[in-house]
Amino acid sequence: MNDLIIKPTQKSLDVKCTPGEVSLSGNSILADPKVFFEPVFKWVEEYLKEPEETTTVNLKFEYVDTASVQRIFDILKHLRELKHNEKELSVNWYYEMDDPELLELGEIMDGRLGLEFNYIEY
């Protein structure tokens, strides 16, 4: 399985998808989030066919617009299948101490997905 690397811009995320790890970080202020996240969805679909025993998702956002939040939620929902297949899924949600809205966003996603996020202040 090939790694997926998408270099960040001021308005788009740094994406690194490798077997056992999915990392999204930075800003997501996208004109068309569906187009941006399409390669990530395809990578996750392929990965789920032969996943590692443990998968870690690292999410470290500076700013995420509403349309991107939905796409990120959809990716996590897809990865949640790992738990149904008796694989381990760990989600690390990084947030700045002075950004309670970002922490709250993680808590909302966590609650809706039924996953236990690890909240890491930086």
Side-chain angles (χ1 to χ4, degrees), residues 2-65:
N2 291 327
D3 295 349
L4 173 66
I5 307 292
I6 301 174
K7 296 291 182 191
T9 68
Q10 286 188 332
K11 293 187 174 191
S12 69
L13 296 170
D14 184 12
V15 176
K16 293 178 185 153
C17 299
T18 60
E21 184 174 347
V22 175
S23 295
L24 307 173
S25 63
N27 291 309
S28 191
I29 310 164
L30 303 168
D32 192 347
K34 185 175 182 177
V35 169
F36 179 83
F37 285 104
E38 187 63 29
V40 180
F41 278 106
K42 287 182 179 178
W43 188 92
V44 167
E45 284 178 358
E46 279 301 307
Y47 176 70
L48 289 174
K49 292 176 184 175
E50 291 185 47
E52 300 289 317
E53 287 299 314
T54 301
T55 302
T56 302
V57 179
N58 295 303
L59 303 171
K60 187 175 183 181
F61 304 120
E62 292 172 28
Y63 180 82
V64 183
D65 63 23

Side-chain angles (χ1 to χ4, degrees), residues 35-111:
V35 169
F36 179 83
F37 285 104
E38 187 63 29
V40 180
F41 278 106
K42 287 182 179 178
W43 188 92
V44 167
E45 284 178 358
E46 279 301 307
Y47 176 70
L48 289 174
K49 292 176 184 175
E50 291 185 47
E52 300 289 317
E53 287 299 314
T54 301
T55 302
T56 302
V57 179
N58 295 303
L59 303 171
K60 187 175 183 181
F61 304 120
E62 292 172 28
Y63 180 82
V64 183
D65 63 23
T66 304
S68 295
V69 167
Q70 182 60 52
R71 294 278 140 202
I72 294 162
F73 181 85
D74 292 342
I75 290 167
L76 290 171
K77 187 165 60 171
H78 214 50
L79 284 167
R80 183 176 60 182
E81 290 178 27
L82 291 167
K83 292 184 107 26
H84 300 297
N85 295 327
E86 299 182 16
K87 304 289 183 183
E88 187 177 326
L89 176 63
S90 176
V91 180
N92 298 318
W93 185 275
Y94 294 85
Y95 69 97
E96 291 187 53
M97 182 179 72
D98 62 347
D99 193 351
E101 291 86 11
L102 194 56
L103 174 59
E104 183 179 3
L105 175 61
E107 292 170 341
I108 291 168
M109 282 190 176
D110 184 352

